[in-house]
Amino acid sequence: GLYLKYRLRMLNGDEFLTKEFSADEFHILETDIFFLLSFIVIFVLAIICAQKLRERMLFHTTYKMFLFTTAMEILSLFIICIAYGKFANTGDEDFDLKTFGRIIEATGHIVFLLMLLLLGKGYNVTRGRLSQSSSIKILVFIALYSVIYAVLFFDDAIFSDPGLVLYLYESPPGYGLIALKIVAWAYFSFACFMTLKHYPEKKKFYYPFYFFYSVWFVSPIFVLIACFAIPRYRREKIVNGIEVAISFLSHTYLLFLTRPSNTNKNFPYHVRTSQVGLQRYMISYHITLSHHNNSNNNNNSNNNNNDNNHIQSRLESWRIIPRQTTR
């Protein structure tokens, strides 16, 4: 008999950006390229601001996390654009590359969430360090969030039928991710409320910060509602654009809030990095000093003089007080 091996290639017209894509994927590549370039602009501006913050000793951990998440967004969009570009050119979809891009995007999302929770707790804003109990709570919450997020993410990537699920939030794992983000929003709300209760003078930063990023937390609900209002053949491209736009706006607004300008009345950072180091040093030094005094009660006067000189030199090296000059 006759043995034939063939391959059918179905096209949507002859244009490069549409011929290999289905109707619900039209313009996703162009949208991602646009936001990739936009995120690069935000990253460059953030680097410029970071340099100014470093000069003022205000380059804190939370701002470094912001830079990291912006870089993750750029990298994930770059990889996803490559995957879509290959598909537009050859018609062969690279699921592994696209999944890798989504993993990087999820990593940036989790770090961004951690940054919001830390800012909500007042870290780098009202205090230089968190209490041990607060640190443990945030660490446990982020660990659980990451594990559950990873399970739901890979469940959707492996077991969901792409013919039935047009977008992540249309599947049971997507519903789980929405519920997870709502729980994170509740934790974020509680953290901001407690910080404002103890530091009401920071309301100029926390009011816009809380209300804007509350929208970021609950945005998947609006995306889910939009899924049922948008025709199926337009759903994926519109929801993709909405989600990337929300991510871009969240990074842009944080850059706006943290810009080191005299006209910025919402600027959050007033604890200098040198003061953070001083706080950590004084805690450890106090423990050492207490132990030292308990074992050397007969030499208190000499020890106190040496201790004062030691603290003086530390304060000078951290620029907390002016350096003393000898005459």
Side-chain angles (χ1 to χ4, degrees):
L2 184 62
Y3 176 76
L4 295 176
K5 185 177 181 180
Y6 60 92
R7 176 184 178 186
L8 294 177
R9 186 179 182 185
M10 305 178 69
L11 303 177
N12 273 326
D14 297 324
E15 294 185 11
F16 175 76
L17 294 175
T18 59
K19 65 180 182 180
E20 296 289 353
F21 296 100
S22 59
D24 61 321
E25 294 176 319
F26 281 0
H27 310 304
I28 288 181
L29 178 58
E30 300 99 299
T31 301
D32 287 350
I33 291 174
F34 171 78
F35 281 106
L36 171 62
L37 298 176
S38 300
F39 266 109
I40 291 175
V41 173
I42 291 297
F43 187 70
V44 171
L45 294 176
I47 290 293
I48 295 173
C49 291
Q51 183 60 34
K52 294 182 179 180
L53 291 173
R54 186 188 296 274
E55 293 172 357
R56 301 182 185 183
M57 290 187 290
L58 296 172
F59 187 46
H60 287 293
T61 302
T62 47
Y63 199 87
K64 295 174 184 177
M65 296 170 71
F66 168 63
L67 290 176
F68 176 81
T69 59
T70 307
M72 289 296 99
E73 288 287 346
I74 292 173
L75 183 58
S76 66
L77 282 173
F78 179 71
I79 293 174
I80 292 172
C81 285
I82 291 177
Y84 276 114
K86 289 176 62 177
F87 181 65
N89 186 43
T90 64
D92 296 323
E93 191 165 8
D94 194 335
F95 290 101
D96 293 337
L97 186 61
K98 190 183 294 186
T99 301
F100 180 59
R102 297 298 182 192
I103 291 173
I104 294 176
E105 180 185 20
T107 302
H109 166 83
I110 293 173
V111 175
F112 192 81
L113 171 64
L114 175 60
M115 179 197 66
L116 292 180
L117 294 180
L118 290 174
L119 288 173
K121 292 291 289 185
Y123 183 61
N124 296 152
V125 179
T126 62
R127 65 190 78 181
R129 62 189 301 274
L130 296 177
S131 64
Q132 185 176 9
S133 60
S134 295
S135 300
I136 293 175
K137 289 176 183 177
I138 291 180
L139 181 62
V140 171
F141 179 81
I142 288 297
L144 291 175
Y145 186 94
S146 301
V147 171
I148 297 173
Y149 192 100
V151 171
L152 295 175
F153 179 88
F154 285 107
D155 178 75
D156 177 77
I158 296 173
F159 299 107
S160 294
D161 185 353
L164 299 176
V165 180
L166 297 181
Y167 201 71
L168 174 64
Y169 296 131
E170 292 184 81
S171 62
Y175 303 149
L177 290 177
I178 292 175
L180 201 59
K181 210 165 183 180
I182 295 302
V183 173
W185 175 57
Y187 190 93
F188 172 75
S189 300
F190 177 76
C192 289
F193 172 77
M194 294 303 295
T195 301
L196 274 174
K197 180 180 178 181
H198 293 95
Y199 301 93
E201 66 274 9
K202 285 292 184 179
K203 61 183 179 181
K204 288 186 178 180
F205 168 73
Y206 275 103
Y207 282 165
F209 172 76
Y210 173 74
F211 287 114
F212 186 89
Y213 288 103
S214 290
V215 176
W216 180 82
F217 276 101
V218 301
S219 60
I221 297 178
F222 301 115
V223 173
L224 180 62
I225 295 173
C227 283
F228 296 100
I230 300 171
R232 296 180 68 88
Y233 69 93
R234 295 181 178 177
R235 193 170 298 174
E236 184 174 3
K237 59 185 177 184
I238 293 178
V239 174
N240 174 78
I242 292 174
E243 191 170 58
V244 180
I246 290 173
S247 179
F248 174 74
L249 290 175
S250 65
H251 285 76
T252 303
Y253 191 66
L254 191 64
L255 178 64
F256 173 77
L257 285 178
T258 57
R259 71 191 191 281
S261 171
N262 294 330
T263 60
N264 185 8
K265 303 301 182 182
N266 308 112
F267 186 72
Y269 298 135
H270 295 98
V271 179
R272 297 187 182 276
T273 52
S274 56
Q275 292 172 308
V276 176
L278 177 64
Q279 290 177 358
R280 293 174 179 172
Y281 171 76
M282 291 300 291
I283 291 173
S284 61
Y285 184 76
H286 182 267
I287 296 173
T288 305
L289 181 61
S290 299
H291 177 74
H292 181 70
N293 287 339
N294 289 334
S295 59
N296 297 280
N297 291 326
N298 295 329
N299 299 319
N300 282 337
S301 59
N302 293 332
N303 287 338
N304 287 336
N305 290 332
N306 293 333
D307 296 336
N308 291 334
N309 292 334
H310 190 57
I311 293 175
Q312 177 82 12
S313 63
R314 282 289 186 175
L315 293 174
E316 291 174 354
S317 65
W318 280 321
R319 303 178 186 176
I320 302 300
I321 62 173
R323 187 176 297 277
Q324 300 294 328
T325 57
T326 57
R327 296 183 179 178

